[in-house]
């Protein structure tokens, strides 16, 4: 299994399609290895890492899309 490292971050910065696809799927669930890398190798105040990861997130739902409550009101 592949995790975030300096090489992967460079590939994501360059928007490498294979890296983007892999990490979009991989980071859909929590990953302690990747989170540890980010906590120890990224400048938390930079915002660049956040922008990269947000760019990998699925598209936001349409504003007109109905919201379905998880519990009945």
């Amino acid at each position: 299994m592949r995790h975030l490292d300096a090489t992967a971050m460079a590939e994501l910065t360059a928007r490498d399609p294979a890296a983007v696809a892999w990490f979009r799927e991989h980071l859909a669930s929590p990953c302690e290895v990747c989170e540890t890398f980010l906590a120890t190798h990224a400048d938390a105040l930079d915002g660049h890492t956040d922008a990269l990861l947000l760019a990998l997130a699925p598209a936001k739902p349409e504003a007109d899309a109905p919201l379905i409550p998880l519990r009945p009101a």
Side-chain angles (χ1 to χ4, degrees), residues 3-40:
H3 296 285
L4 287 175
D5 58 16
T7 302
M9 288 300 285
E11 291 171 354
L12 291 172
T13 301
R15 306 290 289 159
D16 175 68
V20 169
W22 168 256
F23 284 106
R24 179 178 288 130
E25 292 294 319
H26 179 65
L27 297 176
S29 301
C31 174
E32 189 172 326
V33 174
C34 291
E35 290 174 16
T36 299
F37 174 81
L38 289 173
T40 58

